[in-house]
Amino acid sequence: MKNTGLVKLVFFLICISLLAFVPPTKKKKRSSIKKSSVTKVVKQTAAADTDSLENPYYIIVDKSDYELKVYDDEGWYATYPVVFGGKDLGDKMKEGDKRTPDGQFKVILKKIHKQWGPELLLDYPNPTSIQKFNQRKAQGLIAPNARIGNGIAIHATRPQEEWTVDNFYNWTDGCVSVKYTEMKDLFSYIPVGTPVTIQQ
C-alpha cells in the first residue's frame, strides 16, 4: 500500500514537471477584448477567397465600438481604436457624404501616403457596394446624378493628430483612421488580400 502511494506521488510530480515545459500560446496584444460573434461567418468567407490561403488574418471594424479587430487562424489577435468620417456612422450612400461604407471588402493595395503614412486601400466600391448604390438610386434615396465615390482605406492619423482617436473625433472623408504609431504596427503584418468587414 505504501508503495502504491509513493508511485502515485511520483507520477503526480512527473505530470506537474511536464506541464511546466509546455510552450506558451501565442501572446495576444490586448487580452481584455472578447471575440466578436461574427468571427465564424467572416472566416468562412475568407476561406473561399484564394488570397486568404496563405494569409491567416482578417479584420472586423465595429463602428459602434470605434474598434478595429484583427483575427488570425487561432482567433482574436489584436484591437486598435479607430475613428471614421462624419458623425453619422450609417452606411455610405454616395460620394462626399463622409460616411464609412458597411460591407465585406479586402485590402487591394499597401502604400505610404504623403500626409498620413501607412495606408491599406480597400476594394470599395466592389460589386455589392455598386448593387446597393443602384438600388438606392432606383428607390429615390439618392439623387440621380450622385456618384458612388472611391478611395476608401484604413490609414493612419497624421503624426501629431493621434488625439483625434483618443477623443472619438471623426475627421476622414469616409476612411477608417488608426493612430499613427499603431497603424505602423498594423501595416507591418497585414498583407494585400486581407478580408475586411465593416459593420455598425
Side-chain angles (χ1 to χ4, degrees):
M1 294 294 285
K2 289 181 180 179
N3 287 343
T4 304
L6 184 60
V7 169
K8 286 182 179 178
L9 179 62
V10 170
F11 180 76
F12 176 75
L13 291 174
I14 290 171
C15 289
I16 296 295
S17 299
L18 289 175
L19 287 176
F21 292 101
V22 172
T25 57
K26 181 172 19 174
K27 183 181 177 184
K28 302 298 182 182
K29 295 205 174 191
R30 294 187 187 174
S31 59
S32 62
I33 305 296
K34 294 181 180 178
K35 293 180 187 178
S36 170
S37 59
V38 297
T39 302
K40 291 181 181 176
V41 176
V42 177
K43 209 162 188 179
Q44 288 170 357
T45 304
D49 189 340
T50 55
D51 290 329
S52 68
L53 294 177
E54 298 175 8
N55 175 14
Y57 300 108
Y58 59 99
I59 293 171
I60 298 176
V61 177
D62 283 313
K63 291 184 187 177
S64 59
D65 294 333
Y66 284 79
E67 288 181 342
L68 181 155
K69 299 173 186 174
V70 180
Y71 295 85
D72 65 10
D73 51 11
E74 294 182 17
W76 171 77
Y77 181 73
T79 297
Y80 302 88
V82 294
V83 291
F84 308 102
K87 291 180 181 178
D88 187 341
L89 297 180
D91 192 11
K92 187 168 189 64
M93 300 288 280
K94 61 182 181 178
E95 182 178 69
D97 65 6
K98 294 181 70 72
R99 293 181 182 179
T100 302
D102 295 339
Q104 305 278 338
F105 307 100
K106 68 178 179 178
V107 175
I108 57 170
L109 179 68
K110 292 178 69 170
K111 65 177 184 174
I112 303 298
H113 190 277
K114 62 182 179 181
Q115 288 184 318
W116 42 76
E119 178 176 289
L120 304 171
L121 184 66
L122 304 181
D123 65 338
Y124 176 87
N126 60 23
T128 304
S129 306
I130 294 168
Q131 182 182 12
K132 282 197 296 185
F133 179 75
N134 290 335
Q135 285 174 347
R136 289 166 177 167
K137 260 192 179 181
Q139 294 167 351
L141 300 173
I142 303 172
N145 62 344
R147 297 190 304 182
I148 193 167
N150 58 28
I152 300 296
I154 299 169
H155 63 67
T157 62
R158 294 177 183 89
Q160 68 279 13
E161 293 178 356
E162 289 192 342
W163 63 267
T164 59
V165 177
D166 290 330
N167 292 286
F168 302 95
Y169 179 77
N170 294 327
W171 63 275
T172 75
D173 287 331
C175 294
V176 178
S177 178
V178 182
K179 286 184 177 182
Y180 187 82
T181 50
E182 294 187 345
M183 187 62 200
K184 287 181 177 180
D185 178 53
L186 182 67
F187 188 85
S188 71
Y189 67 87
I190 293 296
V192 168
T194 299
V196 177
T197 297
I198 303 177
Q199 61 192 21
Q200 295 182 40

